[in-house]
Amino acid sequence: MTTADYIALAFFAWVWVAYSWLLHGRTFFGRTSLTHAMTERRREWIYNSLRRDLKMIDTQIMAGLQNGTAFFASTSIFAIGSCFALLGATEKVDAVFADLPFVFHGGHAVFEMKVGGLAALFGYAFFKFGWSYRLFNYCTILFGSIPMMRDSERDIIAAERAAERVIRMNVIAGSNFNEGLRAIFLSIGYLGWFINPYVFMLTTAIVIFVLARRQFFSEARLAIMDAGPPSSLHLSAIRRDMPSSDGRDLPEGL
């Protein structure tokens, strides 16, 4: 490995740590991150479930979170297997890299070390996704301990404590999922190292730029921030004693 390789690897690690530290902060240039904004939406969701006895919607949301986590965990396992398969094709890779321009190939040992690093990235992602899946499972169990609406009204303090347990577990599970997903994204930048260390630093910077933009400057962030309804929107309650627009009376159950 050359000095440029060591610098690129250190740059990769520093950018990863700096970005993670940035997301743990509350704001960036006065902007709340998408992750922190979603934490508040999680809280609203759980507290809203206290107002309804039928919680099938909530259990479906929990199942969707678990299924998405399981998908990425299994994908990480397949990626690790692909890395080991790539180690067995070193000679073929040498032949391909020899014909490519701007590719600095340092030999078998360096190539195998790079592939090992890529496998380590996917291994880290797998452990994060696996732990997130387990925590979402715990979150589902804790959610089952939330009292029914009548019991919540009778003892609101106990109901809020149960809701806070679910919220904390859900936020921790979501945080681990985000960290695993971040490793998957950064593995795209890591692929630039197989070309040369300068491309490695460039692709890493591009990935971090895209992730930071999505967290602090994206339309998705604006979509979940608190905002008033548009002025053209008029909501009015439907009176039960008024006929419907087609002249038929509304049934009593509606």
Side-chain angles (χ1 to χ4, degrees):
M1 287 179 57
T2 63
T3 303
D5 288 314
Y6 288 112
I7 293 175
L9 188 59
F11 175 78
F12 177 81
W14 178 82
V15 167
W16 190 348
V17 173
Y19 180 74
S20 300
W21 174 82
L22 178 64
L23 288 186
H24 280 92
R26 286 289 178 181
T27 59
F28 177 66
F29 289 116
R31 291 174 174 265
T32 303
S33 68
L34 178 62
T35 299
H36 278 291
M38 279 305 302
T39 298
E40 295 303 317
R41 303 293 88 80
R42 292 173 193 266
R43 182 178 299 275
E44 291 176 3
W45 159 42
I46 299 301
Y47 271 101
N48 188 43
S49 69
L50 294 175
R51 301 185 181 94
R52 54 176 176 266
D53 280 336
L54 300 179
K55 295 180 170 57
M56 289 82 74
I57 295 176
D58 307 292
T59 55
Q60 287 296 321
I61 296 174
M62 292 286 189
L65 293 173
Q66 280 188 303
N67 292 336
T69 306
F71 168 78
F72 281 104
S74 59
T75 301
S76 300
I77 287 292
F78 289 136
I80 293 172
S82 300
C83 289
F84 283 107
L86 188 60
L87 289 175
T90 306
E91 294 182 359
K92 295 181 180 179
V93 173
D94 283 341
V96 173
F97 280 177
D99 298 331
L100 294 177
F102 310 111
V103 175
F104 298 163
H105 186 49
H108 288 357
V110 174
F111 174 77
E112 291 173 354
M113 188 195 67
K114 292 178 181 178
V115 174
L118 186 61
L121 273 178
F122 291 129
Y124 172 84
F126 169 75
F127 278 105
K128 285 296 182 179
F129 289 133
W131 183 234
S132 177
Y133 183 87
R134 186 73 176 270
L135 293 182
F136 277 129
N137 186 32
Y138 291 159
C139 186
T140 304
I141 296 172
L142 290 175
F143 188 84
S145 67
I146 291 181
M148 304 297 283
M149 185 172 63
R150 184 178 301 175
D151 297 328
S152 299
E153 295 172 350
R154 193 175 298 127
D155 190 353
I156 188 62
I157 301 300
E160 288 182 352
R161 287 177 178 173
E164 285 296 331
R165 285 194 295 267
V166 178
I167 292 168
R168 288 197 298 269
M169 186 63 72
N170 197 280
V171 169
I172 295 172
S175 177
N176 279 271
F177 177 83
N178 289 335
E179 290 175 6
L181 201 59
R182 193 178 309 144
I184 296 293
F185 287 139
L186 285 170
S187 67
I188 304 300
Y190 186 94
L191 294 177
W193 199 10
F194 289 93
I195 300 177
N196 62 59
Y198 306 104
V199 174
F200 181 21
M201 289 188 284
L202 177 62
T203 52
T204 300
I206 291 174
V207 169
I208 290 296
F209 173 79
V210 171
L211 293 180
R213 179 187 175 278
R214 290 177 177 178
Q215 283 287 340
F216 297 100
F217 302 96
S218 65
E219 294 181 358
R221 173 189 169 276
L222 293 177
I224 64 173
M225 301 299 289
D226 291 328
S231 58
S232 60
L233 182 62
H234 301 284
L235 300 177
S236 58
I238 300 177
R239 294 181 55 185
R240 298 174 184 270
D241 57 346
M242 294 294 291
S244 62
S245 58
D246 57 2
R248 294 178 296 178
D249 292 339
L250 293 172
E252 287 190 1
L254 302 178

